[in-house]
Structure formats: structure tokens, C-alpha cells
Amino acid sequence: MTTTAPAPLVPGTVILDETVAPRGPWSAIVAAGDVLTIVDLYGNQAVDTLFYGAADTTVRYSAQVTIAAQRSLFLTTGSVIRDQEGAPMMTIVADEVGNHDTIGGACSQESNTLRYGHHTRHQHACVENFLAEGAKHGLGKRDLVGNVNFFMNVPVDPDGTLGIVDGLSAPGRRLALRAEIDTLVLVSNCPQINNPCNGFDPTAVQMIVTRPEA
């Protein structure tokens, strides 16, 4: 458990500071030049995240373009979140974990049923969070694309096999993303309890937006 109040990873004037409840959704528009710090308050929490152009939500994060541009499946300091045309949306400017997933996807009630059995069908999942929060911004199911899983550890073996294993994060670890355009950030604070992505115990995270001093 963290013992001090979360602080932004990049200095600046705090213009938003909110806690996302365990299993809950969150969204905000981060203005170009502002920095979003995500704090893993208790460690080993997966934060499923989507990015859209604030002025035009048909502009949206592309996992394929982002991966191809940086020639790596994993995100860390210097990684650029890109849209479907290759234009920068956000840049990771600081990172205390060093490895974030681009291919694990978001859990859904359907995928839970297939992977873990029909007894999980009732469980809340990331897709439901995305749909509920996205509806506030006029987004629906057809607008959901592949997402980033911040703090989630998805190693890929040489034969292409991937797994979801214990995270690399720890209580209070942070990463910071600078918006290159006005960006709608849509989050599901992952409610998954059937695999180790959250240590089988979903916990809260902190979202802090700062504006660099002039």
C-alpha cells in the first residue's frame, strides 16, 4: 500500500487528480502539451486504455501502427502512441515500470466464458467498462479498437506463445504520457479476477493531469 499521496511523475500545475475505483471506468480529455500520470497505487493492477482524437473520435489509437513504427510489442519511455494514419497522439515521457502490453486485449464477458467457464459469464469486464464510459462521448461497440494494457505483463515466447503473468509493477509506480494532440483517454481499471494480471485482486489507480509551467 502506498504511504504518501500520489505525485505526478512530471512537474507542472495539477489540473486534474482523480482516483479510479477498483474495476471502474474513467475518461478525460488531455489537452495537447499536458501530461497524464497514471499511478499504480497498490501494485500489480492492469489499466486497459484507449485513445481517441478529442475533436474527431474517428482518429484513434492503432496497435498495429504503433507496434510497426517502434518495432517493439512493448511500450516504455520514448514510445509514441500513434493513430491509424501514423500520427502521434501521446508519448510516454517517463516510466517507472519499463514494460507495458499492446497485444493482450481487453477482457469481456464472452472471453471470460470461453477462457474460464460459463460460471464467469456474470462477471464485469473491461469491454463493459469501455462501452459504459465511451457512451458519454458518443462512442459505441463499433468504435472499440485494440487497447494498451498499462502495467500488464504479457511475455511472448520465441514460438509466438503469449501469456498473462504476474505484473512487473509495485505500489506507487508511475508512468507519464504527454498529449501530442487533444486526446480523449478512455480507461477500464481492469476487473479481471481469473488470471494474474491484477494479482487476482483489482485495486484503485490514480490519474493526474499536469500542465507544464510556462
mmCIF file of all heavy atoms in Angstrom, residues 108-121 123 192 194:
data_model
loop_
_atom_site.group_PDB
_atom_site.id
_atom_site.type_symbol
_atom_site.label_atom_id
_atom_site.label_comp_id
_atom_site.label_asym_id
_atom_site.label_seq_id
_atom_site.Cartn_x
_atom_site.Cartn_y
_atom_site.Cartn_z
ATOM 1 N N SER A 108 -13.689 -9.477 -21.746
ATOM 2 C CA SER A 108 -15.124 -9.273 -21.950
ATOM 3 C C SER A 108 -15.857 -10.433 -21.296
ATOM 4 O O SER A 108 -15.265 -11.457 -20.938
ATOM 5 C CB SER A 108 -15.457 -9.217 -23.439
ATOM 6 O OG SER A 108 -15.245 -10.485 -24.052
ATOM 7 N N GLN A 109 -17.151 -10.285 -21.140
ATOM 8 C CA GLN A 109 -17.925 -11.392 -20.578
ATOM 9 C C GLN A 109 -17.847 -12.621 -21.476
ATOM 10 O O GLN A 109 -17.797 -13.754 -20.998
ATOM 11 C CB GLN A 109 -19.372 -10.942 -20.364
ATOM 12 C CG GLN A 109 -19.512 -9.908 -19.263
ATOM 13 C CD GLN A 109 -20.935 -9.421 -19.083
ATOM 14 O OE1 GLN A 109 -21.709 -9.375 -20.032
ATOM 15 N NE2 GLN A 109 -21.285 -9.041 -17.866
ATOM 16 N N GLU A 110 -17.788 -12.389 -22.791
ATOM 17 C CA GLU A 110 -17.707 -13.514 -23.733
ATOM 18 C C GLU A 110 -16.362 -14.232 -23.627
ATOM 19 O O GLU A 110 -16.298 -15.461 -23.583
ATOM 20 C CB GLU A 110 -17.927 -13.018 -25.167
ATOM 21 C CG GLU A 110 -19.336 -12.519 -25.461
ATOM 22 C CD GLU A 110 -19.601 -11.113 -24.957
ATOM 23 O OE1 GLU A 110 -18.647 -10.440 -24.495
ATOM 24 O OE2 GLU A 110 -20.766 -10.671 -25.029
ATOM 25 N N SER A 111 -15.272 -13.444 -23.576
ATOM 26 C CA SER A 111 -13.954 -14.083 -23.493
ATOM 27 C C SER A 111 -13.752 -14.757 -22.141
ATOM 28 O O SER A 111 -13.112 -15.820 -22.057
ATOM 29 C CB SER A 111 -12.841 -13.069 -23.752
ATOM 30 O OG SER A 111 -12.777 -12.083 -22.733
ATOM 31 N N ASN A 112 -14.315 -14.181 -21.083
ATOM 32 C CA ASN A 112 -14.238 -14.847 -19.783
ATOM 33 C C ASN A 112 -14.906 -16.214 -19.830
ATOM 34 O O ASN A 112 -14.390 -17.206 -19.294
ATOM 35 C CB ASN A 112 -14.921 -13.993 -18.703
ATOM 36 C CG ASN A 112 -14.050 -12.847 -18.221
ATOM 37 O OD1 ASN A 112 -12.842 -12.831 -18.450
ATOM 38 N ND2 ASN A 112 -14.670 -11.892 -17.549
ATOM 39 N N THR A 113 -16.058 -16.275 -20.496
ATOM 40 C CA THR A 113 -16.780 -17.541 -20.601
ATOM 41 C C THR A 113 -15.961 -18.580 -21.358
ATOM 42 O O THR A 113 -15.867 -19.744 -20.949
ATOM 43 C CB THR A 113 -18.131 -17.315 -21.310
ATOM 44 O OG1 THR A 113 -18.922 -16.421 -20.528
ATOM 45 C CG2 THR A 113 -18.886 -18.628 -21.466
ATOM 46 N N LEU A 114 -15.346 -18.160 -22.474
ATOM 47 C CA LEU A 114 -14.554 -19.089 -23.283
ATOM 48 C C LEU A 114 -13.309 -19.565 -22.547
ATOM 49 O O LEU A 114 -12.940 -20.739 -22.616
ATOM 50 C CB LEU A 114 -14.156 -18.420 -24.594
ATOM 51 C CG LEU A 114 -15.260 -18.249 -25.639
ATOM 52 C CD1 LEU A 114 -14.776 -17.389 -26.790
ATOM 53 C CD2 LEU A 114 -15.734 -19.604 -26.147
ATOM 54 N N ARG A 115 -12.655 -18.648 -21.838
ATOM 55 C CA ARG A 115 -11.379 -18.993 -21.200
ATOM 56 C C ARG A 115 -11.551 -19.686 -19.856
ATOM 57 O O ARG A 115 -10.792 -20.592 -19.508
ATOM 58 C CB ARG A 115 -10.548 -17.722 -20.987
ATOM 59 C CG ARG A 115 -10.032 -17.096 -22.265
ATOM 60 C CD ARG A 115 -9.336 -15.773 -21.951
ATOM 61 N NE ARG A 115 -8.751 -15.180 -23.147
ATOM 62 C CZ ARG A 115 -8.217 -13.971 -23.189
ATOM 63 N NH1 ARG A 115 -8.205 -13.216 -22.097
ATOM 64 N NH2 ARG A 115 -7.706 -13.499 -24.314
ATOM 65 N N TYR A 116 -12.566 -19.255 -19.080
ATOM 66 C CA TYR A 116 -12.604 -19.658 -17.685
ATOM 67 C C TYR A 116 -13.874 -20.405 -17.289
ATOM 68 O O TYR A 116 -13.978 -20.860 -16.148
ATOM 69 C CB TYR A 116 -12.439 -18.423 -16.784
ATOM 70 C CG TYR A 116 -11.246 -17.589 -17.176
ATOM 71 C CD1 TYR A 116 -11.406 -16.297 -17.670
ATOM 72 C CD2 TYR A 116 -9.953 -18.096 -17.083
ATOM 73 C CE1 TYR A 116 -10.302 -15.530 -18.047
ATOM 74 C CE2 TYR A 116 -8.850 -17.343 -17.452
ATOM 75 C CZ TYR A 116 -9.035 -16.060 -17.944
ATOM 76 O OH TYR A 116 -7.940 -15.317 -18.315
ATOM 77 N N GLY A 117 -14.840 -20.523 -18.231
ATOM 78 C CA GLY A 117 -16.034 -21.299 -17.940
ATOM 79 C C GLY A 117 -17.286 -20.453 -17.825
ATOM 80 O O GLY A 117 -17.221 -19.244 -17.586
ATOM 81 N N HIS A 118 -18.418 -21.080 -18.019
ATOM 82 C CA HIS A 118 -19.698 -20.371 -18.035
ATOM 83 C C HIS A 118 -20.057 -19.764 -16.683
ATOM 84 O O HIS A 118 -20.869 -18.829 -16.628
ATOM 85 C CB HIS A 118 -20.803 -21.317 -18.507
ATOM 86 C CG HIS A 118 -20.768 -21.601 -19.971
ATOM 87 N ND1 HIS A 118 -21.259 -20.729 -20.916
ATOM 88 C CD2 HIS A 118 -20.258 -22.650 -20.668
ATOM 89 C CE1 HIS A 118 -21.079 -21.223 -22.129
ATOM 90 N NE2 HIS A 118 -20.470 -22.396 -22.008
ATOM 91 N N HIS A 119 -19.440 -20.238 -15.607
ATOM 92 C CA HIS A 119 -19.744 -19.672 -14.292
ATOM 93 C C HIS A 119 -19.213 -18.238 -14.150
ATOM 94 O O HIS A 119 -19.589 -17.542 -13.202
ATOM 95 C CB HIS A 119 -19.153 -20.554 -13.185
ATOM 96 C CG HIS A 119 -17.659 -20.598 -13.176
ATOM 97 N ND1 HIS A 119 -16.913 -21.344 -14.082
ATOM 98 C CD2 HIS A 119 -16.754 -19.962 -12.383
ATOM 99 C CE1 HIS A 119 -15.629 -21.182 -13.844
ATOM 100 N NE2 HIS A 119 -15.504 -20.353 -12.821
ATOM 101 N N THR A 120 -18.365 -17.791 -15.103
ATOM 102 C CA THR A 120 -17.836 -16.422 -15.047
ATOM 103 C C THR A 120 -18.663 -15.444 -15.891
ATOM 104 O O THR A 120 -18.330 -14.264 -15.961
ATOM 105 C CB THR A 120 -16.380 -16.384 -15.539
ATOM 106 O OG1 THR A 120 -16.329 -16.689 -16.948
ATOM 107 C CG2 THR A 120 -15.511 -17.377 -14.780
ATOM 108 N N ARG A 121 -19.712 -15.914 -16.547
ATOM 109 C CA ARG A 121 -20.456 -15.106 -17.509
ATOM 110 C C ARG A 121 -20.999 -13.811 -16.891
ATOM 111 O O ARG A 121 -21.084 -12.787 -17.565
ATOM 112 C CB ARG A 121 -21.628 -15.923 -18.074
ATOM 113 C CG ARG A 121 -22.456 -15.192 -19.131
ATOM 114 C CD ARG A 121 -21.649 -14.950 -20.396
ATOM 115 N NE ARG A 121 -22.424 -14.335 -21.465
ATOM 116 C CZ ARG A 121 -22.670 -13.030 -21.579
ATOM 117 N NH1 ARG A 121 -22.211 -12.203 -20.648
ATOM 118 N NH2 ARG A 121 -23.362 -12.571 -22.589
ATOM 119 N N GLN A 123 -19.589 -11.953 -14.650
ATOM 120 C CA GLN A 123 -18.563 -11.063 -14.115
ATOM 121 C C GLN A 123 -18.376 -9.819 -14.981
ATOM 122 O O GLN A 123 -18.345 -9.898 -16.205
ATOM 123 C CB GLN A 123 -17.236 -11.823 -13.970
ATOM 124 C CG GLN A 123 -17.266 -12.912 -12.926
ATOM 125 C CD GLN A 123 -15.971 -13.721 -12.872
ATOM 126 O OE1 GLN A 123 -15.050 -13.492 -13.636
ATOM 127 N NE2 GLN A 123 -15.913 -14.668 -11.954
ATOM 128 N N GLN A 192 -10.598 -7.947 -13.974
ATOM 129 C CA GLN A 192 -10.339 -9.378 -14.147
ATOM 130 C C GLN A 192 -9.861 -10.036 -12.853
ATOM 131 O O GLN A 192 -8.956 -9.531 -12.185
ATOM 132 C CB GLN A 192 -9.282 -9.581 -15.239
ATOM 133 C CG GLN A 192 -8.968 -11.023 -15.571
ATOM 134 C CD GLN A 192 -10.170 -11.793 -16.065
ATOM 135 O OE1 GLN A 192 -10.732 -12.612 -15.331
ATOM 136 N NE2 GLN A 192 -10.583 -11.520 -17.292
ATOM 137 N N ASN A 194 -9.686 -13.741 -12.902
ATOM 138 C CA ASN A 194 -9.462 -15.134 -13.280
ATOM 139 C C ASN A 194 -8.045 -15.406 -13.770
ATOM 140 O O ASN A 194 -7.701 -16.553 -14.057
ATOM 141 C CB ASN A 194 -10.450 -15.536 -14.383
ATOM 142 C CG ASN A 194 -11.882 -15.391 -13.933
ATOM 143 O OD1 ASN A 194 -12.356 -16.128 -13.070
ATOM 144 N ND2 ASN A 194 -12.586 -14.415 -14.495
#
